[in-house]
Amino acid sequence: MPNPAATLAMETFATDTLATPTRAARPLADPWPVHAPALRHDWSRDEILALFAMPFMDLVFQAQATHRARFDPNRIQVSTLLSIKTGGCPEDCGYCSQSARHGTDLEPERLLPLGEVTAAAAAAKAQGATRFCMGAAWRNPTDRNLDQVAAMIAAVHDLGLETCVTLGMLTDDQTRRLKAAGLDYYNHNLDTSPEFYGQVITTRTYQDRLDTLARVQGAGIKVCSGGILGMGESRPDRAGLLQQLANLSQHPESVPITLLAQVEGTPLHGAPRLDALEFVRPVAVARLLMPASHVRLSAGRADMSDELQALCFLAGANSIFYGERLLTTSNAVADRDRDLFHRLGLAFETLNAAERDHPGPCERCATH
Ligand code: SAM
Ligand code: DTB
Ligand code: SF4
């Protein structure tokens, strides 16, 4: 078997059209290699496990070098989440506070009115978010649900934000309608490996999830798909999740790597905590397998130290959820994020292409 680290270091240029390389954004005296490894979709589990087994320093260094070949390493994409329909879900996902089957104390709510959604989106934009993600606790939307969400997407799009929704399984017709409404991204997570999946969810199959992703990609909507770590899965399961994502015919443009947000009353509450460094490895491996995708730190950041988050950014994570709330759980508070970004010299990605290619210092740095 070829040495995967050596293979990744080969100076081949990518031909895929995902995220534009940002070499222009680099400082002139940049000492780092800038050649991007080609995108692959044929990873074996053993190759991925060999990446996981690399010495930590080698793995993180390789991931950072790969990251710099396509992205400005000092920019982070920022999304804000809103739960537009909370609780009462018929599915049995073992991690989720919103399943009607678990004994959580969450009160089910109706779909939010359009005005409340647009107000939240405008507030997120004012805080610097460039993407607004709306989540609904549905197995799948009805056609009436879809009309209501389409109006929300159109309104958020009109505010000048990228739009993302996560609504469960979709039909072909629904994906077309979402695209027509102005949807940029659809979030649908594979959550874990095919082998471990049955221990987490029984009401929807792994194939159902893959079919939904194929429909979304077929409609020309960008995909946000990743998984949850710390559910009691093994390292081969983490490798299996990343293998599924990397071997999709097109890599998800956004890959959330989530640490389980433990919620009392859910079956996975009390799952053994994942070692912090063992969380960094899949972030780095995701960066190596999907070099042109944004890798997002999703849930679990509130419980992470600043140093662990910094290590994750070094390992190639370049996107976060920003704002005090995720869907039903608390997020890292915005003030803490701003302070961390300032200390790390990280700036928010903007949607303006010209500005993106000529990043300035963060606002606070510019004042001293
Ligand atoms: N009901 C839709 C579905 O599951 O496809 C969309 C909403 S659901 C809450 C979206 C995603 O949130 C899930 O796929 C899961 O990956 C993530 N999620 C839910 N609860 C979580 C938790 N406690 N910790 C981490 N991620 C969680
Ligand atoms: C994703 O990967 N993570 C988000 C979003 N996509 C929809 C959800 C995180 C939910 C965390 C638990 C909660 O707040 O209920
Ligand atoms: Fe329902 Fe989505 Fe939660 Fe599963 S993850 S229980 S489908 S809201």
Side-chain angles (χ1 to χ4, degrees), residues 249-272:
S249 57
Q250 200 178 320
H251 293 164
E253 284 80 357
S254 164
V255 180
I257 303 292
T258 295
L259 191 58
L260 173 69
Q262 298 216 1
V263 179
E264 254 179 40
T266 59
L268 286 176
H269 183 247

Side-chain angles (χ1 to χ4, degrees), residues 72-135:
D72 176 346
N74 300 310
R75 286 259 162 175
I76 299 282
Q77 190 281 327
V78 171
S79 299
T80 292
L81 258 178
L82 177 70
S83 181
I84 56 170
K85 162 68 187 84
T86 303
C89 182
E91 301 280 89
D92 71 351
C93 312
Y95 44 76
C96 188
S97 62
Q98 306 199 66
S99 168
R101 299 168 187 244
H102 307 327
T104 62
D105 54 14
L106 193 78
E107 280 299 316
E109 291 171 19
R110 298 164 72 91
L111 187 66
L112 291 184
L114 179 62
E116 221 170 289
V117 175
T118 45
K125 186 178 179 188
Q127 289 293 311
T130 55
R131 190 176 310 155
F132 193 66
C133 307
M134 296 165 269

Side-chain angles (χ1 to χ4, degrees), residues 95-96 98 136-138 166 168 188-189 191 204 228 258 260-261 299 327:
Y95 44 76
C96 188
Q98 306 199 66
W138 291 323
T166 179
H188 199 66
N189 293 322
D191 281 346
R204 154 188 338 182
I228 307 177
T258 295
L260 173 69
L327 292 175

Side-chain angles (χ1 to χ4, degrees), residues 55-331:
F56 188 84
M57 303 308 161
D58 292 349
L59 175 61
V60 171
F61 179 84
Q62 188 72 59
Q64 173 66 194
T66 298
H67 185 51
R68 282 169 180 263
R70 289 177 189 267
F71 290 100
D72 176 346
N74 300 310
R75 286 259 162 175
I76 299 282
Q77 190 281 327
V78 171
S79 299
T80 292
L81 258 178
L82 177 70
S83 181
I84 56 170
K85 162 68 187 84
T86 303
C89 182
E91 301 280 89
D92 71 351
C93 312
Y95 44 76
C96 188
S97 62
Q98 306 199 66
S99 168
R101 299 168 187 244
H102 307 327
T104 62
D105 54 14
L106 193 78
E107 280 299 316
E109 291 171 19
R110 298 164 72 91
L111 187 66
L112 291 184
L114 179 62
E116 221 170 289
V117 175
T118 45
K125 186 178 179 188
Q127 289 293 311
T130 55
R131 190 176 310 155
F132 193 66
C133 307
M134 296 165 269
W138 291 323
R139 173 177 163 81
N140 54 268
T142 62
D143 285 342
R144 181 173 142 70
N145 293 152
L146 208 87
D147 289 338
Q148 294 164 310
V149 174
M152 294 175 185
I153 292 168
V156 173
H157 177 84
D158 286 350
L159 288 173
L161 285 160
E162 288 183 318
T163 56
C164 176
V165 293
T166 179
L167 314 172
M169 295 183 283
L170 297 175
T171 63
D172 280 329
D173 181 54
Q174 289 177 328
T175 56
R176 280 191 290 270
R177 287 164 61 199
L178 289 171
K179 174 75 181 167
L183 185 65
D184 296 305
Y185 288 82
Y186 194 77
N187 167 250
H188 199 66
N189 293 322
L190 291 180
D191 281 346
T192 189
S193 68
E195 296 80 16
F196 191 68
Y197 182 85
Q199 294 188 43
V200 181
I201 299 147
T202 68
T203 49
R204 154 188 338 182
T205 66
Y206 209 81
Q207 191 58 47
D208 287 333
R209 289 181 187 257
L210 293 170
D211 290 347
T212 299
L213 291 182
R215 287 196 182 98
V216 170
Q217 287 186 328
I221 300 167
K222 292 179 199 142
V223 162
C224 172
S225 187
I228 307 177
L229 313 182
M231 298 195 293
E233 78 290 341
S234 64
R235 190 187 267 188
D237 289 316
R238 296 192 270 280
L241 163 71
L242 295 180
Q243 182 187 19
Q244 290 289 325
L245 294 167
N247 288 348
L248 291 173
S249 57
Q250 200 178 320
H251 293 164
E253 284 80 357
S254 164
V255 180
I257 303 292
T258 295
L259 191 58
L260 173 69
Q262 298 216 1
V263 179
E264 254 179 40
T266 59
L268 286 176
H269 183 247
R273 301 261 167 201
L274 189 65
D275 169 62
L277 298 181
E278 194 59 22
F279 181 78
V280 180
R281 285 182 185 272
V283 170
V285 173
R287 169 52 63 226
L288 292 174
L289 301 186
M290 294 168 277
S293 304
H294 278 81
V295 175
R296 171 174 310 136
L297 297 184
S298 175
R301 268 194 331 111
D303 296 329
M304 290 180 197
S305 68
D306 290 352
E307 293 78 9
L308 174 57
Q309 291 187 59
L311 257 185
C312 290
F313 296 138
L314 192 64
N318 63 342
S319 172
I320 58 162
F321 281 123
Y322 183 65
E324 322 258 307
R325 210 144 179 82
L326 293 166
L327 292 175
T328 66
T329 62
S330 302
N331 195 16

